[in-house]
Amino acid sequence: MPTELRHRLASVRERVANACARAQRDPEEVEILAVTKTHPLDTLLQAVHEGLLDLGENRVQEALPKIAKLPASVRVHLIGRLQSNKVSKAVGAFASIESVDRLELLQKIARRAATLRIMQAVWIEVDIAEEEQKGGCPVQELTELWERSLQESSLQVVGLLGMVRLSDDESAARARFARLRRLAEDLRCKDGGPVRLSMGMSRDFEWAVEEGSHQIRLGSVLFGPRQSR
């Protein structure tokens, strides 16, 4: 795996660089989040060895034992849907929580962070795929949720996250990515800075980069097929 991962990562970085060149962007603007969910600790450590310090896990109970054994320099992000009863364990344990899609969850995260006296980074997930099985705040409710998030002093609101449909062809996927970019352009962070975008996975990250993504979440293109649970 170490040599294979190294070669896959080199290929991904080359593809990112080429996509940035086509879009006239700086490749340094694009962060790779290595999706290590369902993979054993050894895989995470190999990723870290190759310089991948941002890792994505989707289950709190699965991630916490891994986090405890990783170097302090590693940032593990929660990319799966967070259940309300897991908030107390998730806040403070993850570098960011990337799937905030409703006010109730946002407020619970904020209260827990305030109790711990920390600043918890969060992303607002937006339902650009318009599929019932996917999470995400409805587009028409985004502005209100975003503004409420900025009022929480214990939260650092990083940006917007969106996923497209597996059935989307390039044209459809790009249209959804572009929609999320336009939504982000209408918003501002607490410090007045731009809103970051997390969009693009293994099958569509080049399109996402060309449409303005700052974070791409990559699993199978780096590690091969997902491990069964």
Side-chain angles (χ1 to χ4, degrees), residues 50-143:
E50 296 301 328
L52 293 166
L53 299 183
D54 288 280
L55 310 179
E57 292 283 325
N58 73 330
R59 293 192 176 189
V60 175
Q61 63 271 31
E62 179 183 326
L64 293 180
K66 297 178 183 178
I67 292 173
K69 297 178 181 179
L70 291 171
S73 58
V74 179
R75 298 172 293 272
V76 179
H77 306 261
L78 183 63
I79 60 175
R81 300 190 75 177
L82 177 59
Q83 297 175 326
S84 295
N85 62 356
K86 297 292 194 305
V87 166
S88 61
K89 293 183 178 180
V91 173
F94 293 90
S96 75
I97 297 172
E98 297 207 352
S99 52
V100 178
D101 59 1
R102 59 196 185 278
L103 181 59
E104 177 189 11
L105 178 60
L106 180 91
Q107 292 175 327
K108 285 189 174 183
I109 294 171
R111 286 197 295 269
R112 178 59 176 168
T115 298
L116 296 176
R117 297 184 179 181
I118 64 170
M119 183 77 76
Q120 176 66 61
V122 299
W123 297 69
I124 303 298
E125 182 177 1
V126 185
D127 179 20
I128 56 171
E130 299 175 307
E131 285 185 312
E132 289 186 5
Q133 63 267 37
K134 284 190 169 64
C137 168
V139 170
Q140 62 270 24
E141 298 175 13
L142 171 60
T143 299

